[in-house]
Amino acid sequence: MAFLFILPTWPIDVWTAAMRKVAPDLDVRVWPDRIGNVEDIEYCAAWLPPPGVVKSLPNLKVIMSLGAGVDAILKDPTLPGNVPIVRVNDPDLTGRMTEYIVLHVLMHHRQQRRLDENQRKKIWDSFPTHAARDLSVGIMGMGVMGADSAVRLRDLGFRVAGWSRSPKTIPGVESFAGEAEFDAFLARTDVLISLLPATPDTDGIINRGTIAKLSRNGPFGAPIVINAGRGRQHVAEDILAALDSGELHAATLDVFTPEPLPPESPLWTHPKVTITPHCAADSDPETICAYVAGNIRKHQSGEALDNLVDMSRGY
Ligand code: NDP
Ligand code: OXD
């Protein structure tokens, strides 16, 4: 039995070293030049696999994502339909995302960019601040990441709601579900966060129409958007237009189409936009390899795989 990494855009030596450290007995192969006999390969971990590579593995039993999202794998139109895909659900990855979401909600709430600007200009302006309870945060995507962020934000005193396909029960967090409750969710939301997976249903969900339905009763008089889900979920032109017209107060964006964000994108220099380079939650090689190796061991001993992707939902 062998395990194959298919990571054309990742630092492969870091990942092979991490896997060898956490699973010294695993026969680790690397696409394309250290693949060996393809018939040995029963497990692979992939991110943006070139179309056809996964399909060329005749004895493959499981495809593993090295992140929480699987869109980078599902892009391959030739994936074998009968091989299960699993994704990462790990406290390290989740904790990193929660740090990012809490950081950016607090940054907007405490007007840190205004303070930074004042410091640069040597302006002592102790403007009034407002309480966390004055701000309604709404999280789209209440899975592993969204639920954890919601709880931490709730504990800081923010009014938190989540929107997902199915309703959730989290004490102190209001739940909205499905298209029927989307508008009500938007109407009570001052800070809109996306932690949705990339699927055809979530493509372009942060558009001018969505922004227009957000609350304008919050302390800034206009809403704030934070997208750490996937770049496909926001329409960049709509965000820019809404910021310029005052319909949107500010935006934090971690994910883009395409990535890297091209230097000519007006998002880079917009005074109301905070850009981060898809680093909200980094996959730590040793932690993720230990998780992958654990899932392989489970599968080999006949146990159910953790965090199986439901192909009918696409996440
Ligand atoms: P989960 O699968 O645990 O959660 C996904 C959530 O989205 C679920 O609550 C699901 O609803 C909801 N959802 C999916 N489709 C819809 C829809 N059409 N309408 C309403 N709700 C929907 O994923 P994770 O929380 O682990 O990760 C979420 C995403 O975060 C990843 O797919 C990835 O894109 C992104 N991510 C980004 C990173 C970064 O660094 N920027 C790092 C890691 C992840 P339900 O619960 O009802 O199924
Ligand atoms: C992920 C990511 O999906 O890093 O884990 O984007």
Side-chain angles (χ1 to χ4, degrees):
M1 183 279 278
F3 164 84
L4 177 70
F5 276 125
I6 312 170
L7 304 176
T9 58
W10 288 23
I12 192 62
D13 292 343
V14 173
W15 283 84
T16 48
M19 189 55 103
R20 290 205 174 101
K21 186 166 172 194
V22 301
D25 298 331
L26 192 62
D27 178 358
V28 179
R29 312 275 180 88
V30 177
W31 178 88
D33 45 358
R34 283 174 275 161
I35 190 165
N37 181 357
V38 287
E39 297 195 350
D40 301 340
I41 294 160
E42 295 185 11
Y43 301 89
C44 76
W47 192 269
L48 290 174
V53 174
V54 175
K55 190 183 170 201
S56 72
L57 308 171
N59 297 320
L60 191 64
K61 293 188 173 143
V62 184
I63 304 167
M64 310 202 163
S65 169
L66 294 180
V70 286
D71 46 305
I73 294 177
L74 298 181
K75 264 189 185 152
D76 177 354
T78 68
L79 282 185
N82 56 348
V83 179
I85 302 179
V86 294
R87 66 187 200 92
V88 174
N89 165 5
D90 180 85
D92 178 80
L93 193 70
T94 305
R96 289 166 191 247
M97 179 59 85
T98 300
E99 287 173 5
Y100 181 90
I101 296 298
V102 170
L103 171 72
H104 285 269
V105 170
L106 287 174
M107 181 190 79
H108 292 294
H109 164 61
R110 297 300 302 254
Q111 304 183 62
Q112 187 58 43
R113 287 191 50 149
R114 180 172 169 187
L115 291 166
D116 290 343
E117 185 61 17
N118 285 351
Q119 180 179 349
R120 260 190 299 278
K121 294 179 180 159
K122 301 184 182 168
I123 296 172
W124 183 275
D125 177 13
S126 163
F127 51 80
T129 55
H130 47 267
R133 65 176 175 276
D134 296 336
L135 209 60
S136 294
V137 178
I139 303 177
M140 299 192 289
M142 286 294 283
V144 175
M145 307 261 169
D148 196 63
S149 291
V151 166
R152 301 297 185 104
L153 289 166
R154 174 204 67 191
D155 290 349
L156 284 170
F158 294 102
R159 290 195 302 250
V160 183
W163 178 72
S164 38
R165 286 194 348 158
S166 52
K168 309 290 174 219
T169 310
I170 301 177
V173 176
E174 208 179 341
S175 170
F176 295 83
E179 265 185 53
E181 296 180 10
F182 191 47
D183 285 3
F185 164 77
L186 296 175
R188 51 76 62 205
T189 293
D190 302 317
V191 181
L192 180 70
I193 298 171
S194 176
L195 284 173
L196 288 164
T199 70
D201 287 342
T202 64
D203 276 353
I205 193 164
I206 307 173
N207 55 41
R208 200 81 187 256
T210 300
I211 292 168
K213 291 176 185 167
L214 288 164
S215 157
R216 269 146 191 93
N217 302 323
F220 303 113
I224 292 162
V225 161
I226 299 175
N227 185 9
R230 281 292 183 263
R232 284 161 46 178
Q233 287 154 15
H234 68 251
V235 181
E237 299 71 29
D238 287 9
I239 289 190
L240 287 162
L243 286 168
D244 289 340
S245 69
E247 274 171 86
L248 201 55
H249 177 71
T252 287
L253 305 172
D254 181 57
V255 284
F256 304 89
T257 314
E259 290 181 5
L261 181 65
E264 59 276 16
S265 168
L267 289 170
W268 278 113
T269 48
H270 198 287
K272 295 178 181 173
V273 178
T274 301
I275 302 277
T276 53
H278 198 147
C279 63
D282 261 349
S283 298
D284 172 63
E286 270 186 40
T287 311
I288 303 300
C289 285
Y291 169 85
V292 166
N295 229 346
I296 292 176
R297 275 193 294 275
K298 275 191 168 181
H299 188 255
Q300 288 200 298
S301 58
E303 287 176 57
L305 287 163
D306 284 335
N307 302 301
L308 207 52
V309 172
D310 177 342
M311 296 301 282
S312 66
R313 297 183 316 186
Y315 65 95

